[in-house]
Amino acid sequence: MTSLDKPTEDTTQQDDARAVTEAALFEAFGGVRGMVETVLPGLLFVTIYTINKDLHWSAIAALAVSLVLVVVRLAMKDTVKHAFSGVFGVAFGVVFAMFTGNAKDFYLPGMLYTLGLSLTYIVTTLAGVPLMGLILGPVFKENLSWRTRNPGRKKAYAKASWAWGLILLGKCMILFPLYWWADTTQLGWVLVTLKIPPFLLAVWLTWVFLAKAPAPIDVFAEMEAEERAEEERKAAAATERDESPAGRHRREA
């Protein structure tokens, strides 16, 4: 094998960075199961409402399947944050739709949340603290070190946050006019259709930006190294005291 065939150290580091990025994104956004838990309640709601136009049965079915997903997570002793967020989102939609009597209002809390999230991505990026860095920093064990010590990663987080903000804002620009002009079934099917593709596009762009960014600074490893160094300094100082004339005198006394 020639030198050209051998993997270089830079290539290995890039592969490691991509693998770490993929794992971090999978953990942060829930993977395939998280997407299913996000889509299924809304899909069930619009399917039942399309068939019988019954707001109550549609809402009860959506809430019930959200609770079942949480129970399954608990039974498997898996993380429940994505399932719980789905339950809360569906519960808000159910309460809002029942209160107003308008089935379209089942979707309104989620749409408002999406709009608020898109604006948060944009505003935090303009403020120099991109939201994606706040979300993924702890996952990468770098916390906020990217802000002052790793400008390449800060730039990547800013690009990813712009991507999320603009993609979600574009989604809102489609959904809110439909909320006013379309009927419940039309809005519901469009919303279900727009659940996964924009999300996958944003995750893919995040992966692209972070995979090309410098490696994260593991602040937890740094803290552990500092603690070990401090313990070694204390042990060395204690040994030095014991070996000094005064130390030998104390032992002999």
Side-chain angles (χ1 to χ4, degrees), residues 115 166-178 181 194:
L115 178 59
L166 294 177
I167 288 171
L168 294 178
L169 189 59
K171 180 178 175 180
C172 290
M173 292 174 67
I174 296 173
L175 293 178
F176 275 97
L178 288 176
W181 300 332
L194 290 178

Side-chain angles (χ1 to χ4, degrees), residues 232-248 250-251:
E232 291 172 358
R233 285 194 295 269
K234 290 180 179 179
T239 302
E240 184 178 350
R241 286 195 302 269
D242 290 341
E243 292 178 353
S244 66
R248 287 196 298 270
R250 285 196 300 268
R251 288 199 303 271

